Every structure is written in structure tokens, then in C-alpha cells.
């Protein structure tokens, strides 16, 4: 682990990992996960950029507040963390899945604070009526059977078949991370995702360098969603990682880091 990582600061209510004082990459985790999912990226990229990876409220080591939450709350929490760290911006904002939904909202609310976007395993569209019904069903399961039941229901869909077979450490790690999420966090985030706005109209407005990364075997968000975002975001770059499902940064960390590092070069050149 990179020695420059600062752990949670007790004074600020939100827990986070932070790797130092270079151009900043804000990495926003998915549901129901935490900043722990980015630890390999901090190792791989922490010498190139300052990586700040918050635990969204109700997730990881951050405290929770009563649900429901919204993507606006999550985006504002991230902006507050950057303020607290005295990083006025602009920063490169990366989000995986739900983190991508938050990244879109952050871009809409704070365009001046965004130098670039990394959209990993995410989609632009809002929930369909079936999707919303699925959120309600999962919330009911969480209330009646606990967060472990939600983790058990999600686990078989999160990774590529080869990951279940050959990377059991990754499977266990993802399961533990999900089980560490509080009930309020699960319910709050389900509400945030259910009510999130459609980001499709935002795509044509994005005028910062954008990298889209997707697992070829993502069962939760098919790769066609990434291809559609790539088409709609002018000048964007699309990298599809073979043998990766919904967690490409954990399933194919070296390939993921290479794609991100190549993308980040342009920001370092601008700095020099
Ligand atoms: C996530 O991975 O963040 C969520 O599963 C995304 C979603 O359910 O829409």
C-alpha cells in the first residue's frame, strides 16, 4: 500500500483514502461498496496523481444518515470533501456504476471543478419502471433479511464467470465489502439510484476528456451502454476489458490501471 495514503480524519465526518499532492483523481465507488474497492488503483496510480476515494454516506467507514439519499447528496458530499482537503479543482472525476451516476451529477452541479471524467461500468439512462420495481424489492429484502441477503443476491451478478473460477480472493473481497455497508446505506443508495435523473441529455454537453471503461462480460450493465455513451460524448475514449464483469478495476486491475494511466498522461502534461 502506498505510504502516502492518509486514513480517515476524525474531524471530518466522511472517511476517505488520499494519496498525496499531485493532480487529483476523485474515485467514487459503486453500490453497495466502499473506497476499499480502489486500493489497487491507489497503489498503481498514486505516484502519478493524488487519488481521493471517499466512502459515500452509509458505506465503508463513513457514518450514515437516515435514508433516503440522492445522487445530489452524494455529489455534494464529494464536493465538501474536496473543499475540506482544500482542492478547489478542477479534478478528474471517476466513478464506477453508482459512482458514475454520482459523477454525472457532480459534473452537472460543479462543471468548473471537473477536468476530466472516467466512467467505469456505468450507464447514462435512468431506471426503467422494472428497474425501479427491482430497487423496491431489494429494499424490502434488506429490511426483512438484512444487508447480507442483498450481498448474496448481488454477488453472482457482479463478476465475470472466469473471475468466480480463478480469483476467489476477489469474490470474497467484494462480498465482505458489500456486507460492511450499513442498512441505512443500502436503503439510502437504492433510493438515490431509483430516483436519479436521466443523464443521457448530459452526454452531449460533456466537454472534458472522458474515458469510458467497461467489462466485456458485465452482467449488470451490458457493454452496449458504454458504446452508446462513447457515441454520445464527443471525443471520448472507450476501453472494453475482456474477462471482466461489473468490477473491471478488481477483475483486471493491470489492464484497468494501464487504460487510466494512459488517459491521465494528458493532465500531467498540462501541469508541467
Ligand atoms: C452498482 O454497481 O453501483 C449498482 O449495482 C448499479 C445499479 O444497480 O444501477
Amino acid at each position: 500500500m502506498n505510504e502516502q495514503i492518509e486514513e480517515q480524519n476524525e474531524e471530518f465526518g466522511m472517511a476517505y483514502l488520499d494519496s498525496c499532492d499531485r493532480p487529483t483523481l476523485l474515485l467514487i465507488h459503486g453500490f453497495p461498496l466502499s473506497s476499499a474497492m480502489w486500493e489497487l488503483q491507489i497503489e498503481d496510480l498514486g505516484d502519478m496523481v493524488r487519488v481521493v476515494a471517499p466512502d459515500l454516506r452509509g458505506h465503508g467507514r463513513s457514518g450514515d444518515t437516515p435514508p433516503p439519499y440522492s445522487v445530489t447528496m452524494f455529489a455534494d458530499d464529494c464536493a465538501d470533501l474536496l473543499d475540506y482537503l482544500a482542492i478547489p479543482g478542477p479534478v478528474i472525476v471517476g466513478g464506477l456504476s453508482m459512482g458514475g451516476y454520482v459523477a454525472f451529477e457532480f459534473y452537472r452541479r460543479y462543471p468548473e471543478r471537473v477536468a476530466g471524467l472516467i466512467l467505469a461500468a456505468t450507464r447514462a439512462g435512468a431506471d426503467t419502471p422494472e428497474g425501479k420495481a427491482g430497487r423496491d424489492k431489494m429494499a424490502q429484502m434488506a429490511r426483512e433479511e438484512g444487508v447480507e441477503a442483498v450481498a448474496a443476491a448481488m454477488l453472482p451478478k457482479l463478476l465475470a464467470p472466469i473471475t468466480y473460477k480463478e480469483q476467489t480472493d476477489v469474490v470474497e473481497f467484494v462480498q465482505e465489502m458489500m456486507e460492511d455497508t450499513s442498512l441505512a446505506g443500502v436503503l439510502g443508495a437504492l433510493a438515490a439510484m431509483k430516483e436519479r435523473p436521466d443523464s443521457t441529455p448530459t452526454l452531449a454537453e460533456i466537454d472534458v476528456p472522458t474515458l469510458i471503461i467497461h467489462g466485456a462480460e458485465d452482467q449488470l450493465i451490458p457493454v452496449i451502454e458504454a458504446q452508446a455513451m462513447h457515441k454520445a460524448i464527443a471525443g471520448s475514449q472507450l476501453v472494453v476489458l475482456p474477462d471482466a464483469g461489473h468490477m473491471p478495476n478488481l477483475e483486471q486491475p493491470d489492464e484497468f490501471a494501464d487504460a487510466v494511466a494512459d488517459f491521465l498522461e494528458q493532465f500531467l502534461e498540462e501541469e508541467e
Side-chain angles (χ1 to χ4, degrees), residues 29-33 96-99 101 121 123 127 135 154 158 190 193 196 220-221 246-247:
H29 62 76
F31 167 83
L33 305 165
L96 181 134
S97 198
M98 179 178 76
Y101 310 156
R123 59 156 48 104
D127 273 6
R135 304 289 187 202
M154 286 190 69
L158 279 174
L190 283 169
M193 292 191 289
R196 76 184 190 278
L220 279 181
I221 300 183
H246 193 58
M247 304 290 307

Side-chain angles (χ1 to χ4, degrees), residues 148-167:
E148 285 79 6
V150 170
M154 286 190 69
L155 192 60
K157 297 180 210 147
L158 279 174
L159 305 167
I162 196 165
T163 307
Y164 293 106
K165 237 164 116 190
E166 293 185 5
Q167 299 194 74

